[in-house]
Amino acid sequence: MPQAATDKYQQQRAQAIRSAAAVFAEKGFHGASTKDIAERIGIKQGSLYYYFKSKEEALGEVCLYGIEDYVHRMASIAATNQPFEAKLLATVTSHLSSYRERNEALKVHNDERLYLPEGKRQKLHELGSRYRKSLQGIFQEGVANGDLRDSIDCHFAAQAVIGICNAWGDIIVREPDLDIFDVTQKCVDLLLNGFCERRRNSRQDRRG
Amino acid sequence: MPQAATDKYQQQRAQAIRSAAAVFAEKGFHGASTKDIAERIGIKQGSLYYYFKSKEEALGEVCLYGIEDYVHRMASIAATNQPFEAKLLATVTSHLSSYRERNEALKVHNDERLYLPEGKRQKLHELGSRYRKSLQGIFQEGVANGDLRDSIDCHFAAQAVIGICNAWGDIIVREPDLDIFDVTQKCVDLLLNGFCERRRNSRQDRRG
DNA sequence: GAGTAATTCTATCGGTCTATAGAATAATTA
DNA sequence: TAATTATTCTATAGACCGATAGAATTACTC
């Protein structure tokens, strides 16, 4: 019954995780049955328990798989010495690329992780927080360097970037022809410059 | 077995829809049982079928409840003669207010509507499209009036606004002390002006 | 090729779920 | 209050699901 920590086992398990990601993404955690997952892998329902001790463990692995490298990439971007704009560009590109590569697992992470037991949910939350804080740090740096108006709320800014990236991540998945770099450029342009004409006419009203 | 179209019936059914929204929001469509929903209403499981002919019908009603007035409000904002900035402000406020008032049903609409059968999903999709198109129209108007740079991609812009509003909608629900108008101001400020210092130093690099 | 370990299969138990039918109760009307 | 209608309840059918145990098979090692 117990398994080995052999290489082949780990590889097949990794494949099982990706299959589970696809099924969970399509049907949701509770809507997907272990039979569905097993079929996608190409084994019988009972055999699934050779790789996971429960359906819930499979969910945990999928969620982790969804965000791990995406969090790591964020950390290394934040650690570089690039100027603010380059970091922001790299962040958005990285976020959108992750969406294209691991969209199923990411979707599962975003939508289903709350069904995990407290402990695992907490661990994922910490990873997410690390991501948000790195991003927030990039903005704080930008303010300190004078690249950004010092009136901006860095917490808000980070959250806004994540929101835009998620919204466009979904679209990128739906429309495989979209070029990630094009989308990135538009995102960064919005974030830096806004949509406004260089403000001259048309808004002397509020704001002193 | 069949019911009446009486006023009282409709009212109790509306209450049942809100209860279902709460349960679906917490546990997801497949994770919630008809017993859970009935208990929240205060009736027994079997009695639920006096109000809905199936669990799935309940989901459809919840989703519709979640977006209906929010779509309508958007339409009336777009139809006014306010200047661009006022329209954008009203849109964001309306979106965030909906999140606070109907956050459970909205969450259900966003996360669970894909479990509806094709027909109903299609109807909801049309409502959502109407919303997106109204918003996109506001941006196109803004470009035409010279309030916005004519280089912006209105489709992208609308999607970005929705993404930001959704991200902050979640936060607003989690943190009831946040003032919606404050958040609205920050959103609009970002959208119009971006995060950048009024661009003088620090970016002569790309862009002709 | 015999023997061992790794992997998958079959079969099943106990539980939960949606939906229905018909009885029971509450509300309304005459 | 009697009759009618609206609402809720109880009980259950029928199906599926997660997990386990042990047999069967495959892959590896000597």
Side-chain angles (χ1 to χ4, degrees):
Chain A
M1 276 297 198
Q3 338 73 331
T6 161
D7 243 26
K8 185 189 165 195
Y9 176 78
Q10 288 302 335
Q11 222 159 341
Q12 299 215 194
R13 199 175 118 105
Q15 176 55 44
I17 291 171
R18 285 190 292 270
S19 295
V23 176
F24 284 148
E26 188 188 334
K27 306 194 171 191
F29 175 62
H30 290 109
S33 70
T34 51
K35 183 159 178 279
D36 294 330
I37 299 169
E39 265 169 11
R40 166 85 61 145
I41 300 173
I43 58 180
K44 291 286 155 65
Q45 184 261 341
S47 308
L48 194 65
Y49 289 79
Y50 184 65
Y51 294 105
F52 308 106
K53 78 177 212 300
S54 69
K55 184 185 172 187
E56 177 204 287
E57 184 183 279
L59 175 62
E61 297 296 310
V62 170
C63 290
L64 189 61
Y65 174 76
I67 58 164
E68 54 184 6
D69 85 332
Y70 150 93
V71 170
H72 291 152
R73 270 197 269 177
M74 179 73 235
S76 42
I77 291 169
T80 61
N81 275 333
Q82 302 168 90
F84 168 79
E85 188 176 340
K87 280 189 185 178
L88 183 59
L89 209 84
T91 301
V92 174
T93 303
S94 161
H95 195 121
L96 295 177
S97 300
S98 273
Y99 248 96
R100 181 156 279 169
E101 288 160 22
R102 302 194 176 190
N103 71 81
E104 287 157 339
L106 264 172
K107 178 174 163 55
V108 173
H109 170 265
N110 289 341
D111 295 350
E112 316 288 335
R113 68 163 181 270
L114 80 151
Y115 304 125
L116 288 169
E118 184 53 29
K120 285 181 191 171
R121 215 170 57 235
Q122 183 64 25
K123 270 208 166 159
L124 291 171
H125 183 75
E126 277 161 28
L127 284 175
S129 291
R130 215 189 298 167
Y131 181 90
R132 280 189 297 279
K133 279 185 190 147
S134 296
L135 186 48
Q136 199 171 327
I138 290 179
F139 276 102
Q140 284 159 345
E141 223 178 80
V143 170
N145 291 353
D147 291 322
L148 300 176
R149 295 186 279 130
D150 57 0
S151 62
I152 77 166
D153 177 334
C154 292
H155 176 57
F156 168 79
Q159 215 69 45
V161 172
I162 292 172
I164 294 176
C165 286
N166 283 339
W168 273 78
D170 286 343
I171 295 173
I172 276 183
V173 170
R174 271 202 302 278
E175 299 178 24
D177 292 338
L178 276 180
D179 181 68
I180 288 187
F181 197 67
D182 279 358
V183 176
T184 303
Q185 289 283 21
K186 283 177 182 167
C187 273
V188 172
D189 185 33
L190 158 61
L191 292 165
L192 293 179
N193 305 318
F195 289 142
C196 203
E197 186 59 42
R198 305 222 163 180
R199 118 188 34 102
R200 195 134 300 171
N201 52 354
S202 92
R203 44 196 304 278
Q204 249 75 2
D205 30 32
R206 92 196 42 166
R207 185 186 314 270
Chain B
M1 275 296 196
Q3 337 74 332
T6 162
D7 242 26
K8 187 189 165 197
Y9 175 79
Q10 289 301 334
Q11 223 159 342
Q12 300 216 194
R13 198 176 119 105
Q15 176 55 45
I17 291 170
R18 285 190 293 272
S19 296
V23 177
F24 284 148
E26 188 189 334
K27 306 193 170 193
F29 175 63
H30 289 109
S33 70
T34 50
K35 183 160 178 277
D36 293 330
I37 298 169
E39 264 169 14
R40 166 84 62 144
I41 300 173
I43 59 179
K44 292 284 156 62
Q45 184 262 339
S47 307
L48 195 64
Y49 289 79
Y50 184 64
Y51 295 106
F52 307 107
K53 77 176 213 301
S54 70
K55 184 185 172 187
E56 178 204 287
E57 184 183 278
L59 175 63
E61 297 296 308
V62 169
C63 289
L64 188 61
Y65 174 76
I67 59 163
E68 55 183 6
D69 85 331
Y70 147 96
V71 171
H72 291 151
R73 272 198 267 175
M74 179 74 234
S76 43
I77 290 170
T80 62
N81 276 333
Q82 304 168 88
F84 168 78
E85 187 175 341
K87 280 188 184 177
L88 184 59
L89 208 83
T91 301
V92 174
T93 302
S94 162
H95 194 123
L96 294 177
S97 300
S98 272
Y99 247 97
R100 180 156 278 168
E101 288 159 23
R102 302 195 176 189
N103 71 82
E104 287 158 338
L106 265 172
K107 178 175 161 54
V108 173
H109 170 265
N110 289 341
D111 295 350
E112 317 286 335
R113 69 164 182 269
L114 79 151
Y115 303 127
L116 288 170
E118 184 54 29
K120 286 182 189 170
R121 217 170 55 234
Q122 183 63 25
K123 269 209 166 157
L124 292 170
H125 183 75
E126 276 161 28
L127 284 174
S129 291
R130 215 189 299 165
Y131 181 90
R132 279 189 298 279
K133 279 186 190 146
S134 296
L135 186 47
Q136 197 171 329
I138 290 180
F139 277 102
Q140 284 159 345
E141 222 178 83
V143 170
N145 291 353
D147 291 323
L148 299 178
R149 294 187 278 130
D150 57 0
S151 61
I152 78 166
D153 176 334
C154 292
H155 176 56
F156 168 80
Q159 214 68 46
V161 171
I162 292 172
I164 294 176
C165 286
N166 283 339
W168 273 79
D170 287 342
I171 294 174
I172 276 182
V173 170
R174 272 202 302 279
E175 299 178 24
D177 293 338
L178 276 180
D179 181 68
I180 287 186
F181 196 67
D182 280 358
V183 176
T184 302
Q185 288 284 19
K186 282 177 183 168
C187 274
V188 172
D189 185 32
L190 159 61
L191 291 166
L192 293 180
N193 305 317
F195 289 143
C196 203
E197 186 59 42
R198 305 224 164 177
R199 117 184 39 100
R200 193 133 301 169
N201 51 357
S202 94
R203 44 195 306 280
Q204 251 73 2
D205 27 33
R206 93 197 42 170
R207 185 185 314 272

